[in-house]
Amino acid sequence: MNVLLTGGAGYIGSHTAVTLINAGINIVIADNFSNSSPKVLDRIAEITGKRPEFVEVDFCDKAATDALFESHSFDGVIHFAGLKAVGESCRQPIRYYRNNLDSTLTLLEAMAKYNVKRLVFSSSATVYGDQPAPLTESTPTGNCSNPYGWTKYMIEQILKGACDADPELSVVLLRYFNPLGAHESGKIGENPNGIPNNLMPYISQVAVGKLEKLHIFGNDYDTPDGTGVRDYIHVVDLAQGHLDALHYAEKRTGCDVFNLGTGKGYSVLDMVKTFSRVNGVEVPYVIDPRRPGDLATVYADPKKAETVLGWTAKRNLEDMCRDSWNWQSHNPQGY
Ligand code: NAD
Ligand code: UDP
């Protein structure tokens, strides 16, 4: 099977690349490196013994996207490419709508032109907006609190419409909860630009001494210890979910959707304490006011993925904290 990974040089794409290569799937990574490094390709080769084919493409560029499809024969596409920083999307909404929607529409046109009928899409739990946990796939979506979330919501609608119109198309929407951790080799991991927005890269950068202390955004939520609760999922488990989704997309047509989470919620303080205990490092923190737009509690009901895809998360919070630190401590400046 020949599979295109758009945005495959990024955090989740690179881990999925490793999982697919190890499963014997032939992959092509296409990325514009707007949020990733060419060094990822060397690291994937070090881990798997196989260097994936790479093509530099901006998926908003129709001619470049068509040229990619013209020169390759793909059986399926996993579409990771997109901008993902929530705060940045509030400051630069047009850039986010343009990049995320345009790249998806351009990709879909090329898939239609070159008769590629299978797509797995990186959606997000953020499409649920402010709904009570546990979130199931039939929990209503919408009411997103930022432009990034709306791009995911809109792309889901576009993909549903595309499936309604083309009975041969097979699309799997994967709604990720909070991915973290890294490949156990410590050779690939999350490499945020500038000061991280997300909790785990922030904790890791405090632990490694790049940042002074963690700012915990609020301890007055209606949660067991007052800090926000999320469903953290190891990126290698998430990668396996893409392989399972790809196989599922081969067997059927239409648009289906799956939560990829563990079903367990952990608080910010749980994360800090577990990270410190597992890795034997201090994570100094202060309590700050709540971050606008944050919800108290978000976690998945992951039963559908288990029943239909045969997928469950295998790695626990200790594994996530250990692997995040292994990556960060071996690559203090990233790639
Ligand atoms: P990432 O930024 O590490 O990877 C995305 C990749 O897409 C990057 O390598 C970037 O260079 C590339 N890219 C962006 N726009 C492009 C374009 N127009 N053409 C070609 N390449 C382009 O992010 P990630 O964490 O690996 O996320 C992958 C996908 O999963 C994204 O769509 C993201 O929105 C989604 N997602 C991520 C999370 C998370 O917390 N990491 C949660 C839910 C959903
Ligand atoms: N958080 C925090 N300090 C930080 C980053 C995040 O206290 O520097 C909290 C945030 O308020 C939320 C949780 O950690 O309760 C997860 O936030 P993250 O940005 O990683 O993911 P989100 O669920 O918001 O997408």
Side-chain angles (χ1 to χ4, degrees), residues 117-156:
K117 297 292 184 185
R118 282 178 214 119
L119 179 74
V120 176
F121 173 63
S122 299
S123 190
S124 165
T126 190
V127 298
Y128 292 116
D130 188 3
Q131 297 280 353
L135 299 155
T136 74
E137 289 80 356
S138 49
T139 300
T141 56
N143 280 324
C144 301
S145 55
N146 56 74
Y148 164 72
W150 281 117
T151 69
K152 294 295 177 192
Y153 176 85
M154 290 174 188
I155 293 168
E156 286 199 358

Side-chain angles (χ1 to χ4, degrees), residues 178 197-199 214-217 228 230 232 268 291 294:
N178 288 55
N197 295 301
N198 293 114
L199 180 62
L214 172 70
H215 298 261
I216 294 182
F217 300 139
R230 295 291 182 274
Y232 297 96
V268 179
R291 181 169 66 178
D294 272 357

Side-chain angles (χ1 to χ4, degrees), residues 11-12 31-32 34-36 58-59 80 84 99 148 152:
Y11 173 46
I12 301 169
D31 202 299
N32 66 358
S34 58
N35 195 38
S36 49
D58 184 329
F59 284 94
F80 298 102
K84 63 162 183 177
N99 186 74
Y148 164 72
K152 294 295 177 192

Side-chain angles (χ1 to χ4, degrees), residues 157-167 169 254-255:
Q157 307 311 310
I158 291 167
L159 292 172
K160 282 177 195 159
C163 285
D164 290 344
D166 179 356
L169 196 59
C255 187

Side-chain angles (χ1 to χ4, degrees), residues 149-223:
W150 281 117
T151 69
K152 294 295 177 192
Y153 176 85
M154 290 174 188
I155 293 168
E156 286 199 358
Q157 307 311 310
I158 291 167
L159 292 172
K160 282 177 195 159
C163 285
D164 290 344
D166 179 356
E168 290 178 13
L169 196 59
S170 176
V171 171
V172 181
L173 311 173
L174 297 179
R175 293 181 182 149
Y176 312 155
F177 281 67
N178 288 55
L180 46 77
H183 189 264
E184 61 180 6
S185 63
K187 289 182 189 294
I188 54 174
E190 192 170 9
N191 188 28
N193 274 331
I195 298 189
N197 295 301
N198 293 114
L199 180 62
M200 183 50 86
Y202 208 107
I203 290 178
S204 305
Q205 293 198 11
V206 170
V208 85
K210 274 175 86 176
L211 296 167
E212 193 195 339
K213 55 185 179 243
L214 172 70
H215 298 261
I216 294 182
F217 300 139
N219 65 351
D220 57 352
Y221 285 105
D222 184 16
T223 60

